[in-house]
Amino acid sequence: MEPNYDVVVAGAGAAGMMCAAQAGQRGRKVLILDHAKAPGEKIRISGGGRCNFTNIHTTPNNFLSENPRFCISALRRYRPKDFIALVDRYGIAHHEKTLGQLFCDGSARQIIDMLLAEMAKGGVELRLQTTIEAIARTETDFTLTVGGQTVACQSLVIATGGKSIPKMGATGFGYDVARQFGLRVTETRPALVPLTFDVSLLERTAPLAGVAVDATVAAGKTRFAEALLFTHRGLSGPAILQASSYWREGQEIAVDLAPGQDVYAHLRAARTTRAKAAPATILAELLPKRLAQFLSETHAPKGNMADQSDKVLRPLAEAVNTWRVKPVGSEGYRTAEVTLGGVDTTELESRTLAAKTVPGLYFIGEVVDVTGWLGGYNFQWAWASGWSAGQSV
């Protein structure tokens, strides 16, 4: 049977649409499929609806993988400046927020519309609310059962993402396809996700829900200095989301709630210069008032500064500068921004994202064992891996 498409892309997200557009503009006949009602749903909700579409500081060091060097080729072939140039060509206004993160001034919908326009330039056919029921490989092509019909193609690209945010339809479909063709899938787990406390710790920290503070959070040897947020389940905020990718069950995280401040020295000095002040008052100079009150009630419940011995002040300071806490778990895929792990990179060509043992099969984006930090890095991986595959399919 003659293939009726050169390329079929499964998944109309960031990586899939980029790949389809590139392949189509190279003259390939492309079909892109998605079971959702609309394309680019994760793009639409990202960045508070403004889409943190890349990070100008992207390097391979901003990604986790069993093979940290795998992402280098694609990231070099398609850089942040390349995607920014595309955004600029479409007149989409954008700004840098912090730490190299670029956001649309307007709606994330502009990025989706741009990708749809790029696909249209390549004559790409888009089918939504369409489920792939089966995939088979012949000697010359792939055959897909789609809505009871058979579709054939020379190249099949899996861009179906990971398991994060299942309410948006996320599934493990891409991993199932990899296993069907004998490709290894690494352990997968929620990443960029809030961490949760056990009941006894939650009972103590419940009064802090909603309190935010700039902090340094370390998981193992990796540390992040960004905002931290106390929640009614545990901890969230950018610093925690970043650390969650490195944290494992049973491990502690180390939190400095006043980075750059020697809280013990500050308290000892205040004991002399402001002896009649309450400990909470002194701490509130460094921390949000509610957090200062909570810590002082826990560690220095009686008296003013003059009444506090070094034996009291040291653990109070350590609770601020070196708080060690053991989360019991995470909020899981329900709120995770990405999935850590995926299709083993040893199974793929780093330049093209093609499966080494299955000619014509490609895996791109989040389904691959390449996971970026928070802050636009995962979108840059989507653009880079999608573009790289799009040059080859």
Side-chain angles (χ1 to χ4, degrees), residues 225-287:
E226 292 191 63
L228 174 149
L229 175 70
F230 288 87
T231 74
H232 62 284
R233 291 190 179 93
L235 295 174
S236 188
I240 292 294
L241 299 186
Q242 298 279 38
S244 73
S245 296
Y246 294 84
W247 174 81
R248 294 293 180 269
E249 284 84 354
Q251 295 179 346
E252 289 183 331
I253 57 172
V255 181
D256 185 348
L257 296 167
Q261 299 285 345
D262 185 336
V263 175
Y264 182 56
H266 185 82
L267 291 171
R268 291 194 77 202
R271 184 172 58 191
T272 300
T273 59
R274 301 168 65 188
K276 293 184 180 180
T281 301
I282 302 303
L283 274 185
E285 296 169 356
L286 306 175
L287 301 170

Side-chain angles (χ1 to χ4, degrees), residues 169-181:
T171 70
F173 175 83
Y175 310 136
D176 294 338
V177 174
R179 294 187 186 102
Q180 175 186 340
F181 288 99

Side-chain angles (χ1 to χ4, degrees), residues 291-340:
L291 180 56
Q293 188 71 39
F294 172 83
L295 291 172
S296 64
E297 288 175 357
T298 303
H299 296 279
K302 298 178 181 178
N304 54 30
M305 287 304 299
D307 302 316
Q308 310 304 321
S309 66
D310 286 356
K311 192 175 181 180
V312 173
L313 294 185
R314 191 175 292 280
L316 175 57
E318 288 176 352
V320 179
N321 281 145
T322 54
W323 179 33
R324 293 190 172 277
V325 61
K326 186 182 289 185
V328 71
S330 79
E331 291 191 7
Y333 289 116
R334 182 181 64 83
T335 58
E337 297 206 13
V338 292
T339 302
L340 190 70

Side-chain angles (χ1 to χ4, degrees), residues 27-101:
R28 307 289 279 163
K29 185 179 180 183
V30 182
L31 170 66
I32 185 168
L33 305 168
D34 203 296
H35 63 187
K37 292 181 180 179
E41 282 292 87
K42 272 196 174 180
I43 299 174
R44 181 181 61 80
I45 67 167
S46 67
R50 293 183 184 271
C51 188
N52 177 195
F53 57 80
T54 193
N55 193 300
I56 59 176
H57 301 315
T58 299
T59 73
N61 295 332
N62 303 119
F63 296 84
L64 293 82
S65 173
E66 284 191 2
N67 176 8
R69 297 186 58 79
F70 178 82
C71 63
I72 293 174
S73 178
L75 292 173
R76 281 182 177 167
R77 296 187 73 197
Y78 194 83
R79 300 171 185 265
K81 66 180 182 181
D82 298 314
F83 192 77
I84 294 166
L86 179 62
V87 169
D88 288 342
R89 281 205 303 276
Y90 278 81
I92 299 172
H94 54 86
H95 61 279
E96 181 181 347
K97 193 172 180 182
T98 55
L99 304 172
Q101 302 170 45

